[in-house]
Amino acid sequence: DAGVIQSPRHEVTEMGQEVTLRCKPISGHDYLFWYRQTMMRGLELLIYFNNNVPIDDSGMPEDRFSAKMPNASFSNLKIQPSEPRDSAVYFCASSSSSSTMNTEAFFGQGTRLTVV
Amino acid sequence: AQTVTQSQPEMSVQEAETVTLSCTYDTSESDYYLFWYKQPPSRQMILVIRQEAYKQQNATENRFSVNFQKAAKSFSLKISDSQLGDAAMYFCAYRSARVSVGGATNKLIFGTGTLLAVQP
């Protein structure tokens, strides 16, 4: 398996523009997580899905943020309109609940978002 | 709510020496998992080691081992024979083992990280 795949790796956009971050989880994993990493706040969980259903979106900072998981192999995180304070590295991770041994989450390489 | 605390923002170790990174957590649950992740400059999050709370034996992975003190809610990482490639940010993380209505609560709660430098 290629692991969790995120795209793009880097994104630079102007304030006010819509940004879409994409994630393909590991095949067979039933949990998908979106994290944001900044120097000030560390790693924050934004939202997570179980079997494509959003379970907890309490970490989504504002209504400008939305995330969907239309099927088991894809999720996106949208920011509209984007603001400079949204600049961060956004990670997608997936995990499986089917095995008690593989309890960890597997992370993608992240998308570095810069809003200017 | 569960919290994870890493009180050492930065640490430094000489190559081939041993270093211990600290982590404490707060939870009212009795069954959970603890992890150490490594994040090198490439920013990839890599699992280093995991510990199941119901196991008394400390986990070990080659040069990496943990000191799990459940009563004290402490979970430190020991790196033996430090190598230059060990230089990275290290994150401690907690995951509940509780099964909720929507399935197991798999979300990871992270500490703020410890930046480890390895001196040649």
Side-chain angles (χ1 to χ4, degrees):
Chain A
D1 199 312
V4 176
I5 299 173
Q6 290 187 249
S7 64
R9 288 291 308 278
H10 305 275
E11 176 78 31
V12 180
T13 190
E14 291 186 347
M15 182 174 63
Q17 296 298 306
E18 177 179 291
V19 175
T20 300
L21 311 181
R22 298 175 178 82
C23 176
K24 176 177 168 37
I26 292 174
S27 177
H29 280 187
D30 53 347
Y31 277 86
L32 184 140
F33 308 86
W34 283 101
Y35 284 89
R36 179 172 68 175
Q37 185 178 29
T38 60
M39 288 293 292
M40 293 297 294
R41 300 173 70 92
L43 275 159
E44 303 173 275
L45 176 64
L46 300 178
I47 185 172
Y48 75 99
F49 297 82
N50 177 221
N51 292 321
N52 313 337
V53 176
I55 301 299
D56 183 355
D57 65 354
S58 59
M60 297 286 261
E62 299 173 33
D63 291 345
R64 299 184 295 107
F65 286 71
S66 63
K68 292 183 179 179
M69 191 167 185
N71 56 62
S73 59
F74 176 75
S75 176
N76 63 33
L77 177 69
K78 287 188 178 182
I79 308 172
Q80 166 63 21
S82 58
E83 297 182 3
R85 59 195 170 115
D86 301 330
S87 298
V89 178
Y90 290 81
F91 284 101
C92 176
S94 70
S95 68
S96 170
S97 61
S98 65
S99 169
T100 57
M101 292 303 293
N102 295 324
T103 53
E104 73 270 26
F106 295 81
F107 283 76
Q109 291 196 292
T111 296
R112 180 176 295 279
L113 172 65
T114 303
V115 183
V116 298
Chain B
Q2 297 84 16
T3 58
V4 177
T5 302
Q6 292 179 251
S7 59
Q8 305 156 316
E10 298 182 13
M11 292 282 286
S12 182
V13 63
Q14 290 291 128
E15 198 174 3
E17 297 296 308
T18 295
V19 64
T20 298
L21 308 184
S22 300
C23 173
T24 59
Y25 58 94
D26 188 26
T27 184
S28 58
E29 299 178 333
S30 60
D31 198 12
Y32 47 86
Y33 304 95
L34 296 165
F35 307 88
W36 278 97
Y37 278 86
K38 169 185 178 181
Q39 187 180 39
S42 67
R43 77 171 183 247
Q44 179 72 49
M45 294 287 284
I46 303 165
L47 179 70
V48 174
I49 199 166
R50 76 166 72 81
Q51 175 79 43
E52 290 87 350
Y54 63 85
K55 291 185 177 179
Q56 293 187 340
Q57 186 174 5
N58 289 324
T60 299
E61 289 286 342
N62 300 315
R63 298 182 295 107
F64 299 87
S65 62
V66 298
N67 183 5
F68 174 48
Q69 301 290 326
K70 191 172 184 179
K73 296 179 183 175
S74 170
F75 182 61
S76 60
L77 174 69
K78 186 171 82 171
I79 306 174
S80 303
D81 186 24
S82 297
Q83 300 176 0
L84 295 177
D86 295 333
M89 181 74 87
Y90 286 81
F91 291 95
C92 179
Y94 170 102
R95 203 213 96 183
S96 170
R98 176 174 57 90
V99 178
S100 62
V101 172
T105 307
N106 275 29
K107 66 179 182 180
L108 284 171
I109 301 169
F110 285 92
T112 51
T114 296
L115 182 62
L116 177 66
V118 180
Q119 308 299 330

